[in-house]
């Protein structure tokens, strides 16, 4: 038998779905429209958001309250993981600690001769994890992801706890 959702549960579920979707849309928009290529750590921040979409979406259709709540909490925890990676990445950008990874590149080598591949590699911009490509008020995209993801996850968990 399905138990009705409280207003807080429904709001938590909406945030758990909308927040990672909005952050991913912003990341993809800044990449495809704004020309900001992601470094390796930027990609790391996206994966937990992709994963969070699945349980958050499924929670809208599960009739059992306990399973539904567990799915929303799982989504919140995945969002928090992305936020934690964002903190780590922002710390690397701000020089608070050493980076964990090498730089990445946007070179497309498909269908090129060996000489053309080498030339493409040499002309390719290097996307460094320790340099913020864009900031607003001194906060990088990784910093915004950390703030929004951790704040959103805390809000979701607060709403779920309040609903119990």
């Amino acid at each position: 038998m399905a138990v009705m959702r409280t207003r807080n549960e429904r709001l938590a579920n909406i945030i758990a779905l909308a927040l990672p979707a909005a952050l991913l849309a912003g990341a993809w928009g800044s990449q495809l429209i704004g020309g900001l290529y992601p470094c390796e750590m930027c990609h790391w921040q996206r994966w937990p958001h992709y994963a969070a979409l699945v349980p958050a979406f499924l929670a809208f259709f599960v009739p059992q309250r306990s399973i539904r709540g567990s799915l929303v909490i799982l989504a919140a925890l995945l969002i928090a993981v992305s936020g934690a990676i964002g903190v780590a990445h922002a710390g690397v950008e701000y020089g608070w600690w050493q980076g964990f990874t090498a730089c990445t590149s946007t070179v497309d080598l498909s269908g090129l001769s060996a000489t053309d591949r080498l030339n493409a590699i040499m002309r390719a911009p290097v996307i460094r994890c320790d340099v913020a490509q864009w900031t607003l008020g001194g906060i990088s995209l990784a910093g915004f992801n950390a703030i929004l993801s951790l704040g959103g996850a805390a809000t979701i968990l607060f709403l779920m706890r309040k609903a119990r």
Side-chain angles (χ1 to χ4, degrees):
M1 181 164 105
V3 177
M4 295 298 296
R5 285 180 195 261
T6 67
R7 188 173 144 242
N8 288 332
E9 287 173 318
R10 182 148 182 81
L11 181 57
N13 197 171
I14 290 168
I15 294 169
L17 183 63
L19 181 62
L23 290 173
L24 286 168
W28 277 101
S30 68
Q31 179 180 340
L32 299 175
I33 298 167
L36 300 177
Y37 295 102
C39 71
E40 188 173 356
M41 291 181 78
C42 294
H43 283 292
W44 293 354
Q45 292 171 77
R46 293 181 186 187
W47 289 110
H49 284 309
Y50 291 129
L53 291 172
V54 176
F57 179 76
L58 291 176
F60 280 105
F61 303 101
V62 173
Q64 296 86 4
R65 183 178 188 197
S66 63
I67 296 172
R68 194 172 55 226
S70 296
L71 289 170
V72 172
I73 290 169
L74 175 60
L77 295 175
L78 289 164
I79 293 166
V81 167
S82 179
I85 297 169
V87 168
H89 188 187
V92 170
E93 290 174 336
Y94 299 135
W96 296 341
W97 45 74
Q98 189 69 31
F100 316 107
T101 180
C103 298
T104 60
S105 178
T106 59
V107 178
D108 181 10
L109 302 176
S110 57
L112 298 177
S113 69
T115 303
D116 290 338
R117 285 181 186 173
L118 179 59
N119 289 334
I121 290 169
M122 296 308 290
R123 287 190 312 268
V126 175
I127 310 304
R128 297 178 50 166
C129 293
D130 61 348
V131 176
Q133 293 185 57
W134 181 91
T135 62
L136 178 64
I139 302 173
S140 68
L141 289 173
F144 278 111
N145 179 57
I147 292 165
L148 295 171
S149 294
L150 293 173
T155 301
I156 294 164
L157 294 173
F158 173 77
L159 288 169
M160 291 303 292
R161 181 175 174 153
K162 196 173 171 185
R164 303 251 175 233

